[in-house]
């Protein structure tokens, strides 16, 4: 089990909630799809590291600051005598390496070099660890997890793991001699405590309540859901079903996430959910699950 589990970033969640409700700019849409794809790749890598039996600490997704520079590590593995930061990439398709940069074979477009990203986080991680009194060697790797990724003209000595080498990497990690002690535990605790929950590099899309398309979005594919019968909702795209109560509560959470200052009222949630016709039903769900403040037309609900 990982020492620090991975969760979606606030930025990714925000984009998921906004994408079906407003028209994102081309740049925002691209950013959103990249975040989604990157996250999927990281989860794929987590499924492999989760199976490791060796005495290691696995910290997923760290955002740290050193000397006014922020750096992100997709996965950090602490072994007895070594620290491994991993840069996880979910690139798909054919790429080539030329004059120290990555290019898509299809579009010829230059991609941000993941080796440079790794180099940067290593160069910040080393002094960061020294400051905490840790002098273990740092050996980072760029890990490509998508089975449909190919890199042409790759330098032989680059710290890269290809999809075909993932199993071997896991075997290797499982076999390194490692016995962790309280000092490793202290380090892992410190890193978790120092993790910045919101990256300063996160995009902040602009939106207003009035401009957002109302309705309940699917928890699986984030498309709009339709109500069927009295108590059920079904997704128009993936067909998944959900109880109306659960869907309404989820939508309240979504509204709170997008608009933390907004008061939760029966009329407000009735408008926000749109597809639940009965206002009475909305009132019942809110009354059962949240603390009501005030009476009737001034009533609102406290969530926490
Ligand atoms: Zn769906």
């Amino acid at each position: 089990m990982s020492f620090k589990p991975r969760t979606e970033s606030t930025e990714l969640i925000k984009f998921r909630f906004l994408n079906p409700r407003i028209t994102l700019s081309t740049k925002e849409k691209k950013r959103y799809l990249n975040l989604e794809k990157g996250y999927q790749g990281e989860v794929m890598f987590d499924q492999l590291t989760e199976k490791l039996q060796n005495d290691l600490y696995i910290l997923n997704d760290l955002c740290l600051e050193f000397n006014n520079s922020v750096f992100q590590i997709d996965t950090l593995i602490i072994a007895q005598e070594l620290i491994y930061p991993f840069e996880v990439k979910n690139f798909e398709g054919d790429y080539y390496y030329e004059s120290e940069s990555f290019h898509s074979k299809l579009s010829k477009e230059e991609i941000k070099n993941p080796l440079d990203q790794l180099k940067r986080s290593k160069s910040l991680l080393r002094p960061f660890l020294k400051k905490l009194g840790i002098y273990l060697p740092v050996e980072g790797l760029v890990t490509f997890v998508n089975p449909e990724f190919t890199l042409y003209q790759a330098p032989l000595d680059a710290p890269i793991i290809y999809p075909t080498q993932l199993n071997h990497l896991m075997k290797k990690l499982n076999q390194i001699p490692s016995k962790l002690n309280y000092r490793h535990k202290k380090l892992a605790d410190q890193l978790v405590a120092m993790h910045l929950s919101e990256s300063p590099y996160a995009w902040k899309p602009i939106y207003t309540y009035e401009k957002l398309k109302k309705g309940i979005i699917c928890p699986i594919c984030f498309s709009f859901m339709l109500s069927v019968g009295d108590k059920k909702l079904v997704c128009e795209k993936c067909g998944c079903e959900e109880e109306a109560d659960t869907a309404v509560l989820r939508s309240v959470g979504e509204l709170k996430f997008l608009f933390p200052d907004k008061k939760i009222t029966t009329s407000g949630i009735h408008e926000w959910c749109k597809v639940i016709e009965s206002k009475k039903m909305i009132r019942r769900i809110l009354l059962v699950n949240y603390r009501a403040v005030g009476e009737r037309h001034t009533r609102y609900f406290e969530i926490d």
Side-chain angles (χ1 to χ4, degrees), residues 218 220-223 235 237-240:
C218 168
I220 311 288
C221 75
F222 317 110
S223 308
C235 171
K237 198 174 169 196
C238 76
C240 85

